[in-house]
Amino acid sequence: MTTPLLEVRDLRKHFPIRGGLFRRIVGQVKAVDGVSFTLAPGRTLGLVGESGCGKSTLGRAILQLQRPTSGQVLLHGEDLAALTPPELRARRRQMQIIFQDPYASLNPRRTVGQAIREPLDVHRIGTARERAKRVAELLDVVGLGPAVQDRYPHEFSGGQRQRIGIARALALNPAFIVADEPVSALDVSVQSQVLNLSARLQREHGIAFLFVSHDLAVIQHVSDDIAVMYLGRIVELGPGGAICREPRHPYTQALLSAVPVPDPQQRRARILLPGEIPSPARPPPGCPFHPRCPLAEARCRETVPVLRSVAEGDGGRQVACHRVPTRPA
């Protein structure tokens, strides 16, 4: 069995709600509420769900950009949440992020070369000449070439800026990258270029990806495994092919029913969910999906289902649903 590069254990990130004259805490926004999974080297875990379900917050909490409320994040077996700021800064060389908005993540006053070189400067890696050489190499790797390093972000298209973001994320040779909706703002043709580039770099460098997206079609294309998230919790987790062929959780079934089929002769029955995703500040009792679930029963309104392996194994599939037979805990 492959040793996990990353292990997330019961991770929670709650944001306080303050109100009243003295700004006392009157509630909690449970953005991430008990998430656990593992990720092996060179693998991609696709994280999918509706907007507001906590996907991006989970990615940032794993990287400690937002300190978790509780839980553990183990990278190479070391708990990142227990590290002091100086210790964490040293570990950041092993983990990076590709942001959703490639323009907002780049300083408009700094050239592309300066932006890519910044991680090398911060961690004091190599001499000035070695850093310049590394920047040129990275621009070659992402298909832009070293000739563009003196240009500014506004001189590039969205796809080119995302390539710059990828080059910056690769500067420190990380073992793990969070890709936070890296293609959501790009045209379809440019999306394929960025996705193919990411796949090639993963093959060549053995990088593990947490690929965050609300687009299940993209997740299907890039992921080895898929985690479906709803209201701060993972409701289904397992091999991407198995989940896409035969989704078990009612929420996963609804998401897949909305994916367009390229063959006009085929029709997929749509599952229309009533209402909107509940507020993470006021989650419903029991299963968080039960107000919208067409299969909900009495126990769904009272007891929170635990993410467990399905009864027959199914290649490591895990589902959090009372109606899906699971192995005993």
Side-chain angles (χ1 to χ4, degrees):
M1 183 176 179
T2 305
T3 303
L5 167 73
L6 177 75
E7 186 173 0
V8 177
R9 298 178 180 171
D10 197 27
L11 193 68
R12 301 173 190 271
K13 178 58 182 176
H14 298 173
F15 296 95
I17 301 173
R18 298 183 181 273
L21 181 62
F22 298 103
R23 306 292 296 165
R24 293 194 177 105
I25 296 177
V26 296
Q28 298 280 343
V29 175
K30 298 180 179 180
V32 178
D33 197 28
V35 169
S36 301
F37 64 86
T38 60
L39 182 60
R43 303 276 291 181
T44 295
L45 174 65
L47 185 63
V48 65
E50 291 174 277
S51 296
C53 71
K55 305 184 301 296
S56 295
T57 302
L58 174 59
R60 290 171 178 269
I62 290 172
L63 296 178
Q64 309 298 304
L65 296 176
Q66 294 174 331
R67 284 290 197 165
T69 303
S70 63
Q72 292 181 300
V73 179
L74 306 179
L75 186 67
H76 295 299
E78 184 176 39
D79 186 4
L80 299 179
L83 298 180
T84 63
E87 292 171 336
L88 181 59
R89 177 170 175 158
R91 305 305 186 278
R92 290 204 182 280
R93 292 179 57 176
Q94 302 177 51
M95 51 185 186
Q96 294 293 311
I97 184 169
I98 301 171
F99 292 99
Q100 177 178 357
D101 187 342
Y103 188 68
S105 65
L106 296 171
N107 188 334
R109 297 186 177 184
R110 307 196 75 181
T111 66
V112 166
Q114 290 171 331
I116 297 174
R117 194 178 65 240
E118 184 177 13
L120 303 172
D121 294 337
V122 168
H123 291 274
R124 300 177 181 177
I125 296 175
T127 64
R129 179 174 294 180
E130 289 170 339
R131 294 174 193 175
K133 181 180 178 183
R134 177 63 174 159
V135 170
E137 290 173 350
L138 289 166
L139 286 169
D140 260 338
V141 165
V142 299
L144 293 176
V148 305
Q149 61 184 299
D150 293 325
R151 293 164 59 184
Y152 289 86
H154 71 270
E155 300 179 68
F156 295 89
S157 68
Q160 290 173 322
R161 285 196 290 263
Q162 197 59 280
R163 288 170 179 262
I164 294 165
I166 293 172
R168 184 172 59 180
L170 292 172
L172 299 173
N173 293 316
F176 169 62
I177 292 178
V178 173
D180 186 8
E181 306 227 29
V183 297
S184 62
L186 305 178
D187 294 335
V188 174
S189 60
V190 180
Q191 284 185 15
S192 63
Q193 296 174 14
V194 172
L195 293 176
N196 291 336
L197 171 63
S198 300
R200 177 172 64 83
L201 294 174
Q202 183 178 45
R203 290 193 302 270
E204 294 174 355
H205 301 282
I207 302 168
F209 278 91
L210 177 65
F211 198 101
V212 179
S213 179
H214 65 273
D215 188 337
L216 196 50
V218 171
I219 289 292
Q220 286 180 246
H221 178 70
V222 303
S223 303
D224 299 301
D225 302 291
I226 292 176
V228 182
M229 196 167 182
Y230 186 83
L231 208 64
R233 296 173 177 268
I234 290 179
V235 297
E236 187 162 3
L237 172 66
I243 287 180
C244 293
R245 284 192 306 271
E246 190 180 359
R248 296 298 183 86
H249 196 280
Y251 179 61
T252 311
Q253 294 170 0
L255 287 182
L256 277 167
S257 75
V259 177
V261 179
D263 187 350
Q265 301 301 320
Q266 294 185 13
R267 292 192 171 219
R268 179 178 284 166
R270 285 292 310 273
I271 301 175
L272 300 177
L273 298 177
E276 299 290 335
I277 184 170
S279 169
R282 295 180 299 278
C287 175
F289 185 60
H290 88 257
R292 306 173 69 193
C293 181
L295 305 177
E297 51 191 41
R299 59 178 170 170
C300 301
R301 301 177 180 89
E302 300 169 357
T303 308
V304 179
V306 178
L307 188 69
R308 292 179 180 171
S309 298
V310 298
E312 70 276 16
D314 202 8
R317 177 89 64 95
Q318 294 177 290
V319 180
C321 180
H322 291 305
R323 295 180 61 91
V324 177
T326 59
R327 293 179 183 177

